[in-house]
Amino acid sequence: MSSVLENNEELDFASSLKKLEEIVKCLESGDLSLEESLKKFEEGIALARKLEMILDKADSRVQEILKAGEEEENEHI
């Protein structure tokens, strides 16, 4: 059985999520200058968009699998 996300996407998702969590902690600490905060925020937004794209792709794949299963069930009726 193939996974919803390819192995490299799973690793990419996990590492990107971990990096985003680290950025959030840095921003929440309040120890960064305004310029550093803006850079971290920009990096965080880019990561969040990347994660959203991976999740959207996974969701589309899940919907395809479910639709194929429904069609298969209907053929057996």
Side-chain angles (χ1 to χ4, degrees), residues 5 8 15 19 26-27 29 34-35 38 46 48-49 61 63:
L5 294 176
N8 62 339
S15 62
K19 180 66 179 168
C26 281
L27 290 170
S29 74
L34 178 59
E35 187 63 32
L38 288 172
R49 288 181 179 145
R61 181 68 182 127
Q63 296 306 318

Side-chain angles (χ1 to χ4, degrees), residues 6-17 50-51 54:
E6 296 174 13
N7 287 338
N8 62 339
E9 285 181 329
E10 287 177 4
L11 293 173
D12 196 37
F13 182 85
S15 62
S16 295
L17 183 59
K50 178 180 180 180
L51 290 166
I54 293 170

Side-chain angles (χ1 to χ4, degrees), residues 3 5-6 13-14 24 34 39 55 57 64 69 71-72:
S3 72
L5 294 176
E6 296 174 13
F13 182 85
V24 170
L34 178 59
K39 286 179 184 177
L55 288 173
K57 184 176 178 180
E64 288 174 13
E71 289 172 359
E72 190 174 300

Side-chain angles (χ1 to χ4, degrees), residues 13-75:
F13 182 85
S15 62
S16 295
L17 183 59
K18 183 176 180 179
K19 180 66 179 168
L20 181 57
E21 290 170 344
E22 291 170 3
I23 290 171
V24 170
K25 285 181 185 179
C26 281
L27 290 170
E28 288 177 339
S29 74
D31 295 335
L32 301 174
S33 69
L34 178 59
E35 187 63 32
E36 291 170 323
S37 294
L38 288 172
K39 286 179 184 177
K40 289 288 185 188
F41 180 77
E42 185 175 11
E43 185 180 355
I45 291 297
L47 282 169
R49 288 181 179 145
K50 178 180 180 180
L51 290 166
E52 184 176 21
M53 285 176 34
I54 293 170
L55 288 173
D56 286 345
K57 184 176 178 180
D59 183 55
S60 293
R61 181 68 182 127
V62 167
Q63 296 306 318
E64 288 174 13
I65 292 167
L66 291 174
K67 184 177 179 182
E70 288 174 3
E71 289 172 359
E72 190 174 300
E73 278 182 25
N74 289 338
E75 289 175 4

